[in-house]
Amino acid sequence: MDLPTTVERARRLKQLHADHKPLVLPTVWDVWSARTAAGAGFPALTIGSHPLAESRGAEDHEGQTFEEVLAAVRPIIAAVDVPVSVDLEAGYGQRPADLIAGLIEVGGVGLNIEDTVHSDGGRLRSTEEHAEYVAGLRAAADDAGVPVWINGRTDLFLHAQDASAVLDEAVERLLALERAGADSVYPVRIQDDDALLTAVTGALGVPVNSTAHPVRHDLDRFRRLGVGRITYGPLLQLALTDSMKDMLGAWKS
């Protein structure tokens, strides 16, 4: 670990969020995809749990151990000169201090943390429990002297049959994450709903992250809706899968 470099990359990631409206962080999963995205000119990247698991023949939803994830992301982070954030799912059962220590050790300067606890039957953390975990992450990063960017995610819309019915609860949950020290918040599964996205972005004082499809979605639309940060989740990998199938199809004999 090169701590001065890690600190500088963390500061750079924070500045990029201020400079770009929105900041697009392509979601990568191996050295090749990371180098490709950085080579395309993107100033920061994120490693997604789903595509990382797919690339390793593992299951998403904490189908890998924390140690396995750290070992997998270390060469990816080392392969590029831009800040890299890592999707750490619900924390792999780790204490916040241990999660931060492991991330910093491999050179990561940002993290995504969700409220679906896969190691406990897929239950959803309460608003207070998730905020407390995020507060622990913030305190641990401060103690380590690295301004790790914390992207606090809620899966409330994902679990709801009617997303609009849980809007108020979701906003309350996201505001609690903001107060706990999250630098940005991430309500998943509303990327196609203009009204819900606008309601959320209008209620928060920190950047709101949205999932995007690199082909089907439009950057200007997200900008108009007030989205401050964009990641692809598994959708870039899935789009490339579709393209690869199309390219190879003509070669079947």
Side-chain angles (χ1 to χ4, degrees):
M1 174 188 62
D2 183 345
L3 186 58
T5 298
T6 302
V7 171
E8 177 54 37
R9 287 190 180 188
R11 290 173 177 164
R12 177 63 178 152
L13 184 58
K14 181 176 182 178
Q15 187 60 48
L16 287 168
H17 280 88
D19 293 343
H20 294 262
K21 305 293 184 181
L23 175 64
V24 180
L25 296 94
T27 304
V28 300
W29 55 90
D30 60 9
V31 168
W32 167 80
S33 58
R35 285 177 172 165
T36 300
F42 287 91
L45 308 173
T46 185
I47 299 172
S49 67
H50 187 147
L52 180 70
E54 282 284 322
S55 73
R56 292 170 49 78
E59 293 293 326
D60 193 23
H61 299 163
E62 300 190 359
Q64 303 176 84
T65 67
F66 183 47
E67 291 73 20
E68 287 171 336
V69 169
L70 292 180
V73 303
R74 183 189 292 272
I76 303 173
I77 294 169
V80 293
D81 293 326
V82 300
V84 180
S85 181
V86 182
D87 180 356
L88 294 179
E89 304 211 49
Y92 302 93
Q94 301 291 310
R95 296 185 306 120
D98 294 332
L99 205 72
I100 290 292
L103 176 70
I104 292 172
E105 174 61 29
V106 298
V109 296
L111 63 89
N112 184 76
I113 193 76
E114 65 195 54
D115 51 7
T116 299
V117 188
H118 306 290
S119 61
D120 192 10
R123 70 175 181 87
L124 202 67
R125 285 185 179 126
S126 69
T127 296
E128 296 76 15
E129 183 186 6
H130 197 39
E132 182 179 353
Y133 196 88
V134 166
L137 294 171
R138 179 81 284 145
D142 290 346
D143 288 345
V146 180
V148 173
W149 186 276
I150 299 172
N151 189 44
R153 167 176 153 169
T154 182
D155 291 347
L156 191 62
F157 290 116
L158 178 65
H159 290 285
Q161 290 186 336
D162 179 3
S164 61
V166 298
L167 173 60
D168 290 344
E169 183 182 351
V171 168
E172 177 184 335
R173 184 170 287 246
L174 296 170
L175 286 170
L177 297 180
E178 179 181 349
R179 290 191 296 269
D183 299 287
S184 57
V185 294
Y186 186 11
V188 297
R189 199 53 73 86
I190 61 169
Q191 63 266 20
D192 293 314
D193 192 313
D194 288 18
L196 287 177
L197 269 177
T198 300
V200 172
T201 60
L204 274 293
V206 294
V208 173
N209 191 126
S210 179
T211 310
H213 190 286
V215 178
R216 298 171 188 163
H217 285 137
D218 175 72
L219 179 59
D220 286 338
R221 169 180 166 266
F222 286 115
R223 185 177 291 116
R224 290 194 304 271
L225 296 175
V227 171
R229 169 181 160 122
I230 292 173
T231 53
Y232 295 131
L235 299 183
L236 173 59
Q237 190 181 59
L238 290 174
L240 290 173
T241 299
D242 291 340
S243 295
M244 184 174 178
K245 287 179 178 178
D246 289 343
M247 286 187 288
L248 293 177
W251 293 87
K252 290 189 297 185
S253 59

